[in-house]
Amino acid sequence: QPFDFVYLRAMVGSIRNWPRLFKKAYDSLAPGGWIEIADPYLITSDDNTLPEDSPFGKWNRILIEASERNGTSMMAAANYKNWLIEQGFVDVVQVEYKWPINHWPKDPKYKSIGKC
């Protein structure tokens, strides 16, 4: 039976062929069905509070390189919208949230969120 809803969460870095997975999801959905994907980007800093040469910066680069060598890119989420459209999905919406994981941000709002 076809599904009404397919949900993927925290799968970035574990799939080698996202377009194929999205095609299978598309083919498995009932007419009017939905797919939702919730995946993070890696640790980044848009206010320069996390230097590229910091331990986290180095960890990011090594993790990205290793995932690329393995064929399971940790940066795949940047392509989800295009891949979904290529497989036939319509009304594709991409929503990005800035989600601090510590108190580093300079902006008081994001500093507070990070502390929580």
Side-chain angles (χ1 to χ4, degrees):
Q1 283 189 6
F3 297 100
D4 293 321
F5 183 64
V6 172
Y7 181 73
L8 301 165
R9 178 178 175 199
M11 297 298 292
V12 72
S14 63
I15 305 297
R16 285 203 165 106
N17 190 332
W18 282 99
R20 183 177 64 184
L21 176 65
F22 292 155
K23 178 65 173 154
K24 287 183 178 188
Y26 183 86
D27 292 342
S28 299
L29 284 167
W34 287 81
I35 185 170
E36 182 176 335
I37 307 155
D39 261 335
Y41 285 129
L42 297 178
I43 298 171
T44 62
S45 170
D46 62 2
D47 63 4
N48 297 318
T49 53
L50 181 61
E52 285 291 318
D53 62 349
S54 70
F56 277 130
K58 291 175 185 176
W59 177 80
N60 271 351
R61 284 191 305 282
I62 292 169
L63 185 59
I64 291 167
E65 182 181 324
S67 71
E68 296 294 336
R69 286 183 182 180
N70 189 45
T72 56
S73 176
M74 292 298 293
M75 303 306 289
N79 299 303
Y80 290 172
K81 183 176 182 178
N82 289 333
W83 289 334
L84 288 165
I85 292 168
E86 288 172 3
Q87 300 312 316
F89 287 94
V90 296
D91 300 325
V92 178
V93 176
Q94 179 175 322
V95 180
E96 295 184 25
Y97 296 97
K98 184 175 177 178
W99 193 333
I101 58 170
N102 54 52
H103 65 279
W104 293 338
K106 293 176 184 174
D107 181 286
K109 173 186 171 185
Y110 292 113
K111 184 179 285 287
S112 176
I113 292 170
K115 285 180 181 178
C116 289

